[in-house]
Structures are given as structure tokens and as C-alpha cells.
Amino acid sequence: MHSTTMTPIQALQKYFGYSEFRHQQEAIIQHILNGQDVLALMPTGGGKSLCYQLPAVLMDGVTIVISPLIALMKDQVDSLNVNGISAAFLNSTQSPDEQQRITDQLKKGNIKLLYLAPERLFGQGSNLISFLKSLSVCLIAIDEAHCISHWGHDFRPEYLMLADLKNEFPKTPVIALTATADKLTRKDILEKLNLNSPAEFVSSFNRANITYRIVPKKNSFNQLLAFLDERKEDSGIIYCLSRKSTEELTADLKNEGFAAEAYHAGMDNVDKARNQEAFLKDEVKIIVATIAFGMGINKSNVRYVVHVDLPKNIEGYYQETGRAGRDGLPSDALLLYSYGDANKLQRFARVEGNEEQSAIMLKKLDDMVKYCQLQTCRRQYLMHYFDESFPDNCGSCDICLSEYQKFDATLIAQKALSAVARLKERFGNTYVIDFLRGSKREKIWEEHKQLKTYGIGADISRADWLRYLRELVALGYLQVTDDAYPVLKLTDKSDAVLKGQQKVELIASQTTEERTAEVIPYEGGLLQELKITRRDIAASQNVPPYMILSDVALIEMATYLPQTLDELRLISGFGDIKLARYGREFLVPVKDYCSKNGLTSRIKQKSAKRVQKAGHERTNNRLRSSDTKIETFTLYRSGKTIQEIATERGLAATTVEGHLSYFVQTGEIDVLEFVKEEKIPAIKDAVESYGYERLSPLKEVLGDDYSYGEIRAVIGWMNRNTN
Ligand code: ADP
Ligand code: ZN
């Protein structure tokens, strides 16, 4: 089923449905394909598995994957099979018949990846090695490679036997992977595995999608409920220190109506397996666990991790919080901190008769406490702890979010509210902003120009005013009527602000350039339907839902509303096999929803996947900007649509639109090719009010009936007229 002519990026699209490599995946894969040994360090959720799964698909022969946990093996094998890649594992839980069946398949060359535990490979009386030598083994992957080191936190003696692999398979490249390895452990891994001048790849361990928060622990159960109430639909893990408290907390949460179950090492295996399974299948939303839970959990849509007790060290904390958000979507890490907890742990940290170890443990605990008491960026502290440099404002931890971004905006709020009052609560955003900024436009009534409030907000840009007004509405200091022409009105909270009795805090504007990337809101109702479809398919295939498709894929579908299989192919995670197997089933709810709500596909607004882009093209020098525009223009003139050009050129549709709007500006393309004439005045009006530097506020004002492409085209055309 493999093809030697396929490039890695093509295989990524075809088998995994992804359009881009992450971190250093591409370089790692290239090294393996060249037959070199590799050590890869990547954070949890970074995409380590793909580093050997993709070469396995491209190479002739079988790839052997050494993995410490049976639960993890099954998860990986199921997930590969769902993607149409033949994989299997051999372990002690299987019957002799089952094992024989797999051996037969291996002999026939029908299996691309074989998962094994190390003890199975070298166990007494095992002739597995000589059997494997009779096959063609193209790659050996050693997952969780830190298990080979005494220095790691998870030493497994069986891993030491893996040193022998290089002697048994001297010509086969070996890749060792781990998410946790300080320098000492890293060196140890290389020595013990006996690797052949390996290339080392160390990715940043920053988990940008996780927001870190610490709150003082006061009434922890109520604090927890407040947090969970906002996340009723999400999956999460709550870590406690003791077995007893996991059970008590589980009972309390159940009482409050949450679908929660406990997990700790003292439970019997059947109960543990049942609770874990229910969590993986999204039947149970919350697992309340001791740290025994989590190793080998690949569930990608864990949205939050809560520590109700203080962790013993940063390593553990970081690993546990890292179980949130493997799918890359925004996720939360919350820790409830009390000094009492720190005190209690200090007593435990002292190991009788081992001064040296006590000192190390106490130092680690002290670092953990410092982290909780920080007044500076938490992420920076974590990164420094792991020897990585990091700037001092991440913008997404509690410190950065509160200290840097909120500011006292009482005066701004007063200006806005008094403008609304002076204008007798009869105008909408645009007019109020023009009035505040003292716009000279004729549209502003003469009598308004005489008011004292006219022009008191001239120092603030239109875009910022728009944001502030929205925030004031969100905070309840203003309201918007839902008429055809919505107007701003005061509320009963407004008066206190105007009289100076109420302080108002707003979020400061981003100093860094705001993304112009269009964030289109997804259809919440459709997302729910898609989750049901996914759950049903998962149940029929007997795998957890996240294995069928990630939450990212569902959100993309609920955003871009694909209507055909070809459009569906542009959704992240739809490789060829998944498209063929489940594509039609997922189109049903999307189409139903669209026809009920009068919606159509928005797939054109999605950045094109680089479907056909061959690897070598990416290293070529970029085309000069004028050349690339001309190339787009030529294709457009040959009759191709924007989407076709985007796909063919491996560019985002928005980039193509940007190119073409340049030719609207030069006059080579008529603006009417992109926009209906009757739509132009509204766009022009919005551009005149808000400027054309940033598209997203324009899109917001204009609403769903106007696309980014149309707005861009009109901007090009307006610039032509004024030049
Ligand atoms: P790790 O083993 O490093 O914790 P995984 O291999 O489980 O991480 O990958 C985490 C998630 O990211 C998986 O759902 C995987 O399918 C997805 N993923 C991996 N590589 C990519 C990529 N290039 N683009 C999009 N998603 C990816
Ligand atoms: Zn921060």
C-alpha cells in the first residue's frame, strides 16, 4: 500500500489528513529516511508518534515500536487502523491463537507497525528477536525513552535490555523519543541505547495553548464548582494528593450533578479500567485522580487539569498539566494553592537518614512554592526551570492576563456613556464613534458638532473605540437594541459610572500586531450534532471518539460548513481513508444544519491545505512579491477560481485574494468581478469610518453577508480612485 514516490508531506495529507508538519517533525523524518539514528525531545502533545509512523508508511518493511505500556499500545494501534495503516501489538494479554495470527501477518509483510513491550522482546525463552530478524525491519522506535535512565522519574529496568538492539539490527535506524529529559537524562539515553552518532532534536517545551492559573485555596470546593460550571461540556482531570480525597471529591461532584469518577492506585483493576474507558469515551467528563492517572492517556481533548492540592515538584506539575490540550486547542491549568499544603509536604519531603535526597526534594518543593507565589509571568518561570529562555510576558497566564492587559478605563467609559447620553440614545456604534472622534463628515449633524462631548475621544483609534464599546456592552454598562438599525442605550449600571462611583477596567489593546487572520465563529448547534455523529461512529467501531476525529476537526467543520467530500478534504484530520469511511456520514449533519439555517459553505475562507506541495519546493527561495502576484493573476485570467489557485499554488485563499485586490487597484481587474455593485456602498462606508489597516473590525461591522474577499476588493478599488 505504500508508494516509494510519495513525499513525506503527501503522506501526511493522505494518511493523517494534516497539511503541515509541526515542530521538527519534517527534519526528524528526513533523517530517518536517510537511515540515521535520532533522539527526539518534544513536549506532550507535540506529535512524537508521527515521527516514526510516517516513515513506517513510506519505507519498505516493518517498523518496531517499543512502548512501556500496554494501554498505550492498544490506543496507538487502534488509532493507526482507523487511519487505514495496518498495525498490531504483541503482548501477554493475547491468546496464543491471536499471537499466531499476527505472526502470520508479519510473515506475509502485511503489517507496517508492530508494537512491543521490552520484556516481550528479550523475555526468557523468547525467540522473537530471531523471528524479527527473518523479517525486514526498516525502523526501530523507542517511545518514552527516558525509561532507560535512572535519572528519569520513571525508570524501568527492562529498558536497559534495549542496548542490545543495535547489535542485533546494526543497519536499522533507531529513533528514541521522550517528552521528559533534562540534559543528564538525555546523555544517559544516548549512551545506554548505544546509538550511532544520532541527530538530536529538541523542541521547545512551551505549551502555548495552556493557560496557567493559581488561585489561593480558600473554600476549595466552591472554587472548584465555579470553575467547573463554566466547563460543563468539557473533559478534565482533577488531581488530589490522597486516595481518600479523590473518593470524597468524586462523591461531592456527583452530588452536584457532574459526571465524575475516581482513579487511584488503590482501586481494583476492573474499576480502574472501567473508569478510564468511560473517560476516554467521553461518558465521564471528569476524572478525579491521584498522579497514578495519566501515563499513557492519549486522550487529546482534555480541556483542563486542576490541582486541588500542591504538587511536590515542577516536573510533576508540568507533566500533569501537559495532559490538557494535546489537540492544540485552548486549555486551562488551575492550581489551588495554600501555604498549609506547602507545610504539610515539607514534612513528607524529609527522607529519614538520607540528607542528600531530602535536600533535593525540599529544594524542588521550594521551587514549586515559589512558582505559586510569583508576581511575574508563570510560563517564563516554567521555561527557565527547564533551561529554556522565554520573554517576560506570555499573555496567557494569570499574571500576564491580569497585570498587563487590564487597565483603569473609567475615563474612557465615562466619555463613551456621556456620548450615548448626549446623542439621546438614538445612534449606533459607527455614529457614536464618529461623534467621539470629532469626525468632520457631513453625516454628523450640525447640532451634535456643537456639543461639548463632540471630539472628546479623538485620541483613540476607531478600532479601539469599537472594542471598548463592545466591552462596555459585555460588562452591562451599555446595551444594544436588536432592531434593524441597532442603537446604543444606557443601562441601570451606567449612572454609577457617569457619577464616578464605579471604576471600570477594560482590556488594553494589544501592542503586538493583531492578527488580521479572520476568526469566524463556529456554529455551536452544529458542533453538538457533529459530536453525536462522532460518538455514534466511535461506538460502532469500538474506539474512543477522539480517535475518529479530533475536536479541532469538528470545530473546523462547524466553522467552514463543508458541503462535499472535496470540501471535507480541506478539514484537518481527514486523510484519504477517513474521508472514504466517515466523510459522507459527517456531511449529513452539516448539510441538514445549513439547509435549516439558510447557510452555505464557508470553505473558501479556510486557508488552503498545501495538498500537492512537494517537500523540496519549500526550501527554494521565495518568489519575489511582484512575481508571486503576477503568477496568481495569470492563473486567474486563465479562468481558475480563487480556491483552485490557492490549492494549486499551495497558498491560503486569503493570500490569493490579497494578490488579486492589488490588480483591482491597478485597474487590471474590474472590482465588479468580485463584488456585486449594490454591496459596494456599505463596504465603502465602513472603510471610510474605520480605515482599511485592519480587516477584522470591518468584517465585524459588515457582518456575514460580506466576505473578506469582497472587502479587500473594494479597498483595492477605493485606493485606485483616490490615487
Ligand atoms: P505526543 O506523543 O508527542 O504526546 P501525539 O503523537 O499523541 O503527541 O500527537 C498529539 C496530537 O497531535 C495527535 O492528535 C496527533 O494526531 C496530532 N498531530 C501530530 N502531528 C500533527 C501535525 N503535523 N498536524 C496536526 N496535528 C498533528
Ligand atoms: Zn505569562
Side-chain angles (χ1 to χ4, degrees):
M1 75 180 182
H2 60 275
S3 142
T4 42
T5 53
M6 211 190 303
T7 62
I9 189 93
Q10 285 166 337
L12 183 69
Q13 171 68 59
K14 181 171 158 66
Y15 290 99
F16 299 92
Y18 301 139
S19 56
E20 280 171 352
F21 286 109
R22 276 190 193 160
H23 296 288
Q24 292 150 310
Q25 283 175 333
E26 190 166 22
I28 293 170
I29 288 165
Q30 205 51 58
H31 270 76
I32 295 175
L33 295 176
N34 294 340
Q36 288 166 280
D37 287 352
V38 167
L39 172 65
L41 276 76
M42 257 186 222
T44 311
K48 283 184 286 297
S49 326
L50 202 110
C51 295
Y52 56 84
Q53 291 173 347
L54 193 127
V57 172
L58 287 174
M59 293 160 96
D60 285 320
V62 60
T63 291
I64 295 176
V65 186
I66 310 293
S67 168
L69 292 157
I70 290 176
L72 195 75
M73 285 182 201
K74 180 162 169 7
D75 201 73
Q76 296 254 348
V77 166
D78 285 348
S79 158
L80 283 162
N81 288 334
V82 169
N83 272 326
I85 301 168
S86 62
F89 57 81
L90 281 175
N91 69 35
S92 48
T93 65
Q94 292 159 314
S95 68
D97 276 358
E98 180 67 8
Q99 303 202 19
Q100 187 58 48
R101 197 184 59 76
I102 292 166
T103 326
D104 290 344
Q105 290 298 315
L106 282 164
K107 280 188 199 146
K108 289 191 194 137
N110 286 346
I111 289 177
K112 296 299 306 176
L113 291 110
L114 176 68
Y115 284 75
L116 296 169
E119 56 271 29
R120 182 72 179 79
L121 199 52
F122 297 101
Q124 272 193 339
S126 163
N127 52 8
L128 192 55
I129 289 271
S130 48
F131 170 66
L132 292 176
K133 281 167 92 169
S134 75
L135 306 171
S136 122
V137 177
C138 59
L139 171 64
I140 297 170
I142 300 179
D143 209 358
E144 312 289 349
H146 60 275
C147 291
I148 203 171
S149 173
H150 290 284
W151 303 109
H153 53 84
D154 192 28
F155 173 61
R156 285 160 191 255
E158 317 85 73
Y159 259 64
L160 290 173
M161 297 185 285
L162 297 176
D164 209 32
L165 278 175
K166 237 7 217 188
N167 303 328
E168 300 283 359
F169 300 91
K171 294 226 169 68
T172 308
V174 173
I175 174 171
L177 310 109
T178 173
T180 42
D182 49 86
K183 292 197 180 101
L184 209 58
T185 315
R186 211 186 297 170
K187 193 160 154 271
D188 213 24
I189 294 174
L190 293 178
E191 281 171 13
K192 297 233 168 74
L193 281 180
N194 205 3
L195 298 188
N196 191 358
S197 45
E200 281 184 56
F201 294 90
V202 184
S203 299
S204 166
F205 273 62
N206 178 27
R207 296 289 309 279
N209 61 320
I210 300 181
T211 300
Y212 299 95
R213 286 197 178 83
I214 316 285
V215 298
K217 185 158 147 183
K218 284 188 199 118
N219 178 341
S220 58
F221 189 61
N222 283 341
Q223 288 174 306
L224 191 60
L225 286 184
F227 178 85
L228 297 177
D229 269 337
E230 288 175 13
R231 294 167 174 78
K232 284 219 166 91
E233 296 299 315
D234 298 339
S235 293
I237 307 174
I238 300 174
Y239 284 109
C240 303
L241 213 53
S242 75
R243 296 175 185 183
K244 192 161 148 262
S245 52
T246 62
E247 291 183 351
E248 288 169 359
L249 184 54
T250 306
D252 289 346
L253 287 172
K254 280 185 174 166
N255 255 339
E256 294 290 331
F258 288 96
E261 289 296 345
Y263 190 104
H264 60 72
M267 286 164 54
D268 74 48
N269 287 338
V270 179
D271 290 343
K272 277 197 295 199
R274 188 195 55 229
N275 290 352
Q276 170 166 333
E277 182 92 355
F279 181 62
L280 293 181
K281 292 194 167 161
D282 289 340
E283 290 158 10
V284 159
K285 295 281 180 197
I286 302 172
I287 282 282
V288 186
T290 58
I291 53 173
F293 183 79
M295 247 305 244
I297 296 294
N298 260 344
K299 186 176 169 62
S300 66
N301 61 343
V302 175
R303 285 277 73 81
Y304 59 87
V305 168
V306 179
H307 286 88
V308 290
D309 298 312
L310 185 69
K312 294 189 183 103
N313 51 52
I314 298 277
E315 286 90 343
Y317 168 75
Y318 200 64
Q319 206 179 14
E320 284 142 28
T321 53
R323 292 181 182 132
R326 278 166 177 258
D327 52 13
L329 292 175
S331 305
D332 288 292
L334 175 74
L335 190 161
L336 305 183
Y337 169 71
S338 80
Y339 188 71
D341 277 359
N343 243 332
K344 199 162 69 189
L345 285 180
Q346 257 165 14
R347 292 200 297 278
F348 286 119
R350 295 215 170 77
V351 189
E352 208 58 48
N354 190 337
E355 280 315 305
E356 200 190 337
Q357 210 191 339
S358 302
I360 295 175
M361 307 255 291
L362 281 169
K363 168 81 174 72
K364 285 183 187 260
L365 177 60
D366 191 44
D367 288 338
M368 189 67 223
V369 171
K370 276 202 190 108
Y371 170 76
C372 296
Q373 297 174 336
L374 281 181
Q375 294 300 324
T376 55
C377 176
R378 305 219 195 259
R379 191 180 307 274
Q380 183 189 44
Y381 182 93
L382 291 169
M383 290 300 101
H384 285 179
Y385 188 88
F386 295 114
D387 283 333
E388 249 185 69
S389 60
F390 201 84
D392 59 10
N393 184 353
C394 72
S396 59
C397 70
D398 51 359
I399 304 279
C400 295
L401 284 170
S402 59
E403 299 233 321
Y404 295 87
Q405 289 197 299
K406 287 258 176 163
F407 72 108
D408 182 352
T410 311
L411 194 61
I412 291 178
Q414 286 171 337
K415 288 180 182 175
L417 301 189
S418 56
V420 171
R422 294 282 165 204
L423 296 173
K424 306 215 160 41
E425 306 178 64
R426 285 170 56 196
F427 294 86
N429 281 335
T430 314
Y431 194 91
V432 172
I433 293 173
D434 276 339
F435 174 76
L436 278 163
R437 287 180 41 83
S439 161
K440 303 275 181 299
R441 297 168 58 201
E442 307 145 36
K443 225 174 80 179
I444 306 289
W445 300 5
E446 259 332 295
E447 56 174 290
H448 289 160
K449 290 187 181 162
Q450 308 310 320
L451 294 171
K452 259 203 307 203
T453 340
Y454 173 67
I456 48 166
D459 53 329
I460 294 172
S461 73
R462 288 198 160 81
D464 280 343
W465 268 125
L466 183 63
R467 254 184 345 96
Y468 295 149
L469 290 181
R470 282 173 194 279
E471 243 187 293
L472 289 168
V473 170
L475 293 168
Y477 296 120
L478 282 176
Q479 55 186 340
V480 191
T481 60
D482 47 12
D483 309 330
Y485 295 97
V487 295
L488 286 167
K489 288 198 181 289
L490 299 178
T491 70
D492 35 350
K493 284 172 82 181
S494 308
D495 203 38
V497 177
L498 285 167
K499 289 191 178 135
Q501 296 158 345
Q502 168 72 53
K503 259 180 76 173
V504 179
E505 289 206 319
L506 296 178
I507 294 168
S509 63
Q510 233 97 33
T511 40
T512 48
E513 204 174 297
E514 263 184 68
R515 294 182 307 143
T516 44
E518 38 265 44
V519 184
I520 315 168
Y522 59 79
E523 301 291 330
L526 175 56
L527 186 64
Q528 294 312 320
E529 309 255 325
L530 289 168
K531 282 190 176 166
I532 294 169
T533 307
R534 175 175 70 173
R535 194 197 58 203
D536 293 348
I537 296 177
S540 74
Q541 307 281 304
N542 199 22
V543 295
Y546 66 87
M547 229 176 246
I548 299 295
L549 277 178
S550 71
D551 284 11
V552 180
L554 299 193
I555 290 175
E556 283 193 7
M557 277 190 263
T559 305
Y560 299 110
L561 313 177
Q563 305 286 316
T564 63
L565 287 176
D566 272 344
E567 293 190 347
L568 204 56
R569 191 185 290 283
L570 298 171
I571 299 295
S572 169
F574 270 108
D576 287 1
I577 295 288
K578 280 190 183 166
L579 196 67
R581 285 190 190 157
Y582 316 123
R584 278 172 216 288
E585 244 172 293
F586 278 108
L587 284 178
V588 175
V590 181
K591 285 199 206 161
D592 275 1
Y593 185 91
C594 285
S595 69
K596 271 192 211 121
N597 294 284
L599 298 170
T600 53
S601 169
R602 298 183 193 136
I603 201 83
K604 288 215 167 72
Q605 298 174 46
K606 180 165 169 38
S607 310
K609 277 189 181 186
R610 295 177 305 172
V611 186
Q612 247 94 44
K613 197 152 196 178
H616 66 268
E617 276 179 19
R618 310 183 59 202
T619 52
N620 283 351
N621 289 333
R622 289 245 175 109
L623 290 171
R624 285 211 321 275
S625 90
S626 59
D627 293 346
T628 180
K629 281 188 196 133
I630 290 167
E631 192 178 332
T632 296
F633 183 59
T634 314
L635 290 170
Y636 181 75
R637 274 291 170 251
S638 78
K640 295 215 156 79
T641 64
I642 290 176
Q643 193 55 47
E644 284 164 357
I645 301 171
T647 310
E648 180 165 337
R649 298 207 53 206
L651 297 171
T654 53
T655 310
V656 172
E657 285 169 3
H659 290 170
L660 295 177
S661 72
Y662 169 81
F663 292 97
V664 173
Q665 192 175 334
T666 62
E668 278 155 287
I669 300 180
D670 187 344
V671 65
L672 297 176
E673 289 186 35
F674 293 113
V675 203
K676 289 215 184 83
E677 193 163 3
E678 60 267 27
K679 281 183 153 184
I680 294 179
I683 300 179
K684 191 163 166 268
D685 194 42
V687 173
E688 279 168 354
S689 302
Y690 296 100
Y692 55 81
E693 292 76 18
R694 284 169 41 212
L695 292 182
S696 39
L698 291 174
K699 178 79 172 86
E700 255 184 84
V701 202
L702 286 162
D704 285 348
D705 291 342
Y706 296 83
S707 72
Y708 278 94
E710 291 171 333
I711 299 172
R712 277 207 184 84
V714 172
I715 292 173
W717 172 75
M718 286 171 71
N719 283 337
R720 169 171 185 255
N721 282 359
T722 55
N723 282 345

